[in-house]
Amino acid sequence: MKKLSVIFTMIIMLGLISCGNIKGNQSDDTVTVPGDEKTEAVAQVEPEQLTLEAFKEKVWNFEENPTEWVFKGDVPCVIDFYADWCKPCKMVAPIMDELAKEYDGKVKFYKVDTENERELAGAFGIRSIPSILFSPMDGRPTMSQGALPKEEFVKIIEQNLLNNNNK
């Protein structure tokens, strides 16, 4: 029985060691082109995590303008209100990652952890997650609740944020 326990422990340790080094020595932010001695940095575009203070700085300071939406961004944005334990939120996260890459420079993508940013979630009356806030440059933002397919997110972004009504 003792031998079995030792073997089991060794297998677990080997698994942990090998999982921690899957990518070898190559870092996440570089790509090497075969035959090229240069290494180029690759932009890692993904939704940015927002705290209450960052939200007030980058999106809307609801303390300064409690009755009027005054958008502070330089491009429209999409904000994913989520929680780590939420399964539908986990389904939406990779879609948001893809969209952040596809709309890089046109739309900013943010994430708000409702467990850590309760005041911010409360300011928007978040009762169910995921809740997605779509904020155009001009006009009032709109909110969507629940896990939507990527095509729906694209449609909302194109029509409501980028004013491309042909999609």
Side-chain angles (χ1 to χ4, degrees):
M1 187 69 157
K2 187 175 179 182
K3 284 183 181 181
L4 200 57
S5 173
V6 170
I7 292 171
F8 183 69
T9 303
M10 289 176 60
I11 290 171
I12 290 174
M13 288 178 63
L14 285 173
L16 291 174
I17 291 169
S18 65
C19 288
N21 198 20
I22 289 174
K23 293 184 180 182
N25 293 330
Q26 190 176 27
S27 70
D28 287 343
D29 60 346
T30 60
V31 62
T32 304
V33 179
D36 186 5
E37 294 181 14
K38 295 178 186 176
T39 301
E40 294 181 27
V42 176
Q44 294 292 324
V45 179
E46 56 187 35
E48 179 184 340
Q49 190 75 39
L50 286 181
T51 62
L52 174 63
E53 290 306 314
F55 182 92
K56 291 190 292 187
E57 181 182 310
K58 296 179 179 187
V59 182
W60 173 46
N61 189 331
F62 51 87
E63 290 173 349
E64 286 179 2
N65 299 296
T67 59
E68 182 183 1
W69 178 266
V70 179
F71 183 60
K72 294 182 161 256
D74 53 354
V75 295
C77 72
V78 176
I79 303 171
D80 177 11
F81 289 87
Y82 77 99
D84 287 334
W85 51 262
C86 168
K87 288 186 182 185
C89 298
K90 290 179 182 182
M91 292 168 41
V92 168
I95 295 171
M96 290 294 154
D97 291 346
E98 288 176 29
L99 292 171
K101 289 177 182 78
E102 291 173 21
Y103 287 98
D104 185 28
K106 297 178 188 172
V107 177
K108 288 196 180 176
F109 287 80
Y110 298 112
K111 296 173 8 172
V112 173
D113 184 342
T114 58
E115 295 291 307
N116 293 332
E117 300 298 332
R118 292 179 189 264
E119 183 179 347
L120 189 50
F124 283 92
I126 303 296
R127 298 279 183 255
S128 68
I129 50 176
S131 286
I132 313 296
L133 183 73
F134 298 91
S135 181
M137 289 296 297
D138 299 313
R140 306 258 325 144
T142 57
M143 183 78 77
S144 168
Q145 293 180 338
L148 300 175
K150 182 179 177 182
E151 297 77 29
E152 282 297 312
F153 285 119
V154 169
K155 183 178 175 184
I156 294 169
I157 290 167
E158 290 291 330
Q159 291 179 351
N160 298 354
L161 301 185
L162 301 177
N163 298 315
N164 295 332
N165 293 319
N166 57 353
K167 291 204 175 196

